[in-house]
Amino acid sequence: MAGKNSEPRKLNNPAMGWLLGRVFRLWRSAISQSVKPMGMTEARWSVMMKLRTLGEGVSQHTLASELGIELPSLNRTVNQLVELSLVERREHPSDKRCKCLWFTPAGNQQLQTLEMFVGTVRTELTRGITDEELDSMFNVLKKIESNACELLDKPAEGGL
């Protein structure tokens, strides 16, 4: 690995970053297409899936940060999810100014259906790839994430 004072490392394929971005966009588009009949937009399903990953009771600020979006953008989507009775805001126990997010019973039911669709897309997209290859790819991506976070002096995401 190239250190701060060493020669830059020559990649075998300099388009790897571009390909990672393309695969990310295609993956998200495939999920969005799959869940469209549920009335789920990318913004909505992204918020619901990240809330599931982080756990109910997470603050809106933390959720926005983890999604890499601004709080006003998250608020618009959360407002939609509240109107659909899928998510509810509750006051933080020790800070009344802070709003935390929880799934409603309808939201939990919608989440189960959403997870089924996402799982089907994941299965289709990883068809022909062995479990060992997927594990290796995941480990490589986690190392790249860690290196990027170190370079940017940001903590790596821990809740995967």
Side-chain angles (χ1 to χ4, degrees):
M1 180 188 328
K4 291 184 179 180
N5 295 323
S6 62
E7 289 286 318
R9 183 174 175 181
K10 182 173 175 158
L11 295 174
N12 292 337
N13 189 340
M16 184 169 34
W18 176 86
L19 182 59
L20 281 170
R22 177 169 164 72
V23 168
F24 171 76
R25 289 186 299 277
L26 288 168
W27 194 300
R28 291 178 72 92
S29 293
I31 292 171
S32 291
Q33 178 179 305
S34 161
V35 301
K36 192 173 187 176
M38 297 173 58
M40 283 280 132
T41 62
E42 182 173 337
R44 290 176 189 170
W45 69 255
S46 296
V47 167
M48 289 187 70
M49 294 299 287
K50 185 53 82 171
L51 177 56
R52 179 197 43 85
T53 300
L54 296 173
E56 290 181 280
V58 69
S59 72
Q60 292 182 163
H61 184 268
T62 299
L63 183 57
S65 176
E66 289 293 322
L67 286 166
I69 62 175
E70 297 294 324
L71 195 54
S73 296
L74 175 67
N75 280 331
R76 280 190 296 277
T77 302
V78 170
N79 287 342
Q80 293 169 3
L81 293 171
V82 168
E83 286 178 26
L84 293 168
S85 299
L86 300 175
V87 170
E88 63 184 17
R89 290 180 174 101
R90 297 183 193 163
E91 288 182 349
H92 189 278
S94 62
D95 184 353
K96 303 295 182 201
R97 298 168 298 166
C98 180
K99 299 295 181 198
C100 299
L101 300 173
W102 299 83
F103 289 111
T104 63
N108 276 312
Q109 187 174 359
Q110 184 86 319
L111 184 63
Q112 288 178 356
T113 305
L114 182 58
E115 288 174 328
M116 183 187 69
F117 278 100
V118 170
T120 299
V121 169
R122 183 182 302 119
T123 298
E124 286 298 312
L125 294 179
T126 59
R127 186 179 57 234
I129 304 170
T130 67
D131 289 344
E132 293 78 20
E133 289 172 317
L134 289 172
D135 288 344
S136 178
M137 180 180 76
F138 181 83
N139 291 332
V140 168
L141 290 173
K142 288 300 288 179
K143 287 178 185 175
I144 292 171
E145 176 197 34
S146 177
N147 291 342
C149 288
E150 185 178 312
L151 181 67
L152 298 170
D153 196 31
K154 293 183 175 182
E157 183 177 302
L160 285 181

